[in-house]
Amino acid sequence: MKEVFKRFCESLKKQDEVNIIRDTKAVAVGIANFKTNNKKAVELAVIRLEKHCKSCIFSIDEPIPELRVEDKQISQLSGKTCGECGCVLSYKLRQSVKKCSRWEQ
């Protein structure tokens, strides 16, 4: 857990304008939607994966094995992270609080 928190803090430092409340809420919403298998969030994640993340250079395999998340609903997201912001893609794509600059919606 310590490593996860450290990585989250490092990703916040990379932001030009840090809004801790928004960023924390985005992570919490993404995790909640992932854990509860929110149907609408899954549909949105599939669309974002196909339209944006599948071909994005920042969609990378999580380098730290202990931080890899298995996504049973969207297997293409299993073990993936955003190399730009450090977010777990299974969480990031399931929330709309903090949208990626590369998403059109």
Side-chain angles (χ1 to χ4, degrees):
M1 187 64 169
K2 180 181 173 185
E3 191 66 33
V4 174
F5 182 74
K6 180 181 174 185
R7 199 157 146 220
F8 179 69
C9 290
E10 288 173 358
S11 71
L12 289 178
K13 290 177 189 175
K14 294 178 184 177
Q15 301 294 323
D16 293 332
E17 190 176 301
V18 178
N19 184 328
I20 294 173
I21 295 171
R22 181 203 60 209
D23 293 349
T24 304
K25 182 178 178 183
V27 172
V29 168
I31 292 171
N33 286 338
F34 176 80
K35 297 285 186 183
T36 61
N37 298 318
N38 181 300
K39 186 178 177 179
K40 283 190 168 203
V42 171
E43 292 170 2
L44 185 59
V46 169
I47 291 168
R48 289 175 172 165
L49 173 65
E50 293 299 320
K51 288 178 106 178
H52 309 289
C53 300
K54 200 177 207 178
S55 60
C56 181
I57 62 169
F58 294 111
S59 178
I60 62 170
D61 291 328
E62 171 56 60
I64 303 171
E66 295 80 21
L67 297 181
R68 292 183 188 142
V69 172
E70 181 184 1
D71 195 323
K72 293 179 181 178
Q73 292 186 310
I74 309 171
S75 60
Q76 292 172 301
L77 292 178
S78 285
K80 294 290 188 180
T81 190
C82 176
E84 184 175 40
C85 70
C87 289
V88 172
L89 287 183
S90 292
Y91 304 156
K92 182 176 185 170
L93 273 62
R94 285 176 166 88
Q95 60 80 36
S96 294
V97 176
K98 182 181 178 187
K99 296 180 181 180
C100 178
S101 63
R102 288 160 177 69
W103 298 344
E104 295 170 357
Q105 49 188 15

